[in-house]
Amino acid sequence: MKIIRKILLTGIVGTFSTDIWTIILKVFGVHSHGLLLVGQWIISHLSLSSQKELEGKALYLGWTAHYCLGMLFAFVPIALYGQKWLHRPTFATALITGLTTFMFSIFIIQPILNFGVAFSEYTGQPIILLKVALFHIVYCIGLYGTARIIANCPKTQKT
């Protein structure tokens, strides 16, 4: 399996893990509107004709952005550890990746979405930060698990 495909696969499964996590939380009454808000933000920065064309599609656009970022962040372990991470993935490297995605979220994405740095505009900031941190830990677990499966699969040993 080519290296880029392996990296993208780890990103897709890591991101999918967060979707499963969101569904599990929803069962327990914990809801998230993050993907919808991301999609709405993207649409709000497009031309008026594009906004009309994408009306009602904010959730899908947010979901697409979510998976693109998940695949992009799957390159972090390679940047940190090189291609050998795909052959011998470590949880520590995945955890650093999860921390990187968390920091990106609270210091870049949240301010862009007008939530303030680390949700500073909200009274429930500690709870929100905990939810976001757990979300990114789930991403790194999915990333790591997928990399382990790929590394242990005989057909993927050729890069």
Side-chain angles (χ1 to χ4, degrees):
M1 186 183 278
K2 300 282 184 204
I3 289 173
I4 298 294
R5 279 190 263 170
K6 289 179 183 181
I7 296 168
L8 293 177
L9 181 61
T10 61
I12 290 168
V13 176
T15 306
F16 182 71
S17 300
T18 65
D19 290 337
I20 299 300
W21 176 250
T22 302
I23 291 167
I24 291 168
L25 290 178
K26 194 177 283 189
V27 168
F28 292 101
V30 179
H31 297 280
S32 170
H33 304 291
L35 297 179
L36 178 62
L37 293 173
V38 169
Q40 289 170 339
W41 181 85
I42 292 169
I43 290 171
S44 74
H45 287 80
L46 298 174
S47 68
L48 287 177
S49 62
S50 295
Q51 286 180 18
K52 287 180 183 181
E53 192 176 309
L54 292 170
E55 193 173 317
K57 296 184 172 90
L59 181 60
Y60 300 114
L61 192 55
W63 221 336
T64 301
H66 173 57
Y67 273 85
C68 288
L69 281 172
M71 289 184 286
L72 180 67
F73 277 115
F75 285 87
V76 170
I78 306 303
L80 294 173
Y81 198 62
Q83 292 179 13
K84 58 187 166 188
W85 189 77
L86 291 169
H87 302 289
R88 278 185 270 126
T90 63
F91 188 72
T93 303
L95 195 56
I96 291 168
T97 302
L99 181 62
T100 302
T101 64
F102 175 69
M103 294 301 188
F104 182 79
S105 171
I106 64 171
F107 290 116
I108 296 174
I109 298 296
Q110 303 317 322
I112 286 173
L113 295 174
N114 294 320
F115 295 130
V117 172
F119 296 98
S120 59
E121 303 296 319
Y122 289 86
T123 55
Q125 180 190 28
I127 301 292
I128 297 170
L129 284 173
L130 178 63
K131 284 171 52 178
V132 172
L134 291 172
F135 182 87
H136 290 270
I137 288 171
V138 168
Y139 171 76
C140 83
I141 291 169
L143 197 73
Y144 172 72
T146 306
R148 289 291 303 218
I149 290 168
I150 290 171
N152 292 323
C153 184
K155 288 185 179 183
T156 66
Q157 296 302 318
K158 295 179 185 176
T159 52

